[in-house]
Amino acid sequence: MINVRGSTDQLLSEGMNAYNQKDYKKASDVLYRYVNANPSDLNAQFYLGISSIEAGKAGEGIRYLDNVIEARGMLVEQAQWYLALAYLKEGDLTSCQRELKEIDVQGHDYRERAERLLEDLK
């Protein structure tokens, strides 16, 4: 008998180790398999989003960060910031600025960074 939960936990561990070592291609590949087996794990989707963007798959990364934001996961503020950066990396300044304006609110952890980046993009 196969222990499915144990094997997915191993995928998460392997994916996060790759992420921590900045091996984003491996992290995105492994975390993709984990998220497919555990689609409700928003934290894994967050790290999959960042890994995908860093591995050159921005469209995929944007989709996972959007999922975290839509579901209002624990890492929503971080996801908003990285989503704005992903749009910037893709050259989509309109979407980047829209996301930065969403961040530019009282109490947001990334407010000051968003303000500075918005100013730089003018």
Side-chain angles (χ1 to χ4, degrees):
M1 179 174 258
I2 297 172
N3 182 345
V4 175
R5 183 65 190 166
S7 65
T8 60
D9 286 346
Q10 185 176 356
L11 283 175
L12 179 59
S13 179
E14 182 182 346
M16 291 308 299
N17 283 337
Y19 178 89
N20 289 331
Q21 294 173 3
K22 299 185 186 332
D23 185 349
Y24 298 114
K25 168 130 180 43
K26 180 178 180 180
S28 68
D29 293 343
V30 174
L31 289 172
Y32 177 80
R33 292 185 357 239
Y34 174 80
V35 166
N36 277 338
N38 301 277
S40 64
D41 189 336
L42 295 174
N43 290 340
Q45 287 195 46
F46 172 78
Y47 289 104
L48 173 57
I50 294 172
S51 297
S52 298
I53 292 163
E54 291 296 327
K57 300 180 277 186
E60 183 178 306
I62 288 169
R63 186 176 85 231
Y64 289 108
L65 292 175
D66 271 336
N67 289 347
V68 173
I69 294 166
E70 290 290 320
R72 306 303 295 169
M74 286 179 44
L75 298 171
V76 70
E77 290 188 1
Q78 294 88 338
Q80 289 173 315
W81 173 249
Y82 285 104
L83 180 61
L85 295 181
Y87 283 129
L88 181 60
K89 189 172 190 171
E90 286 291 288
D92 185 348
L93 295 181
T94 302
S95 296
C96 175
Q97 289 171 322
R98 181 188 68 235
E99 294 301 323
L100 290 171
K101 287 175 185 171
E102 290 281 322
I103 293 170
D104 191 14
V105 294
Q106 191 67 31
H108 197 291
D109 287 345
Y110 289 82
R111 181 179 184 199
E112 290 178 15
R113 293 183 204 183
E115 284 177 0
R116 284 194 304 267
L117 186 51
L118 272 170
E119 196 59 38
D120 289 346
L121 293 174
K122 287 184 180 179

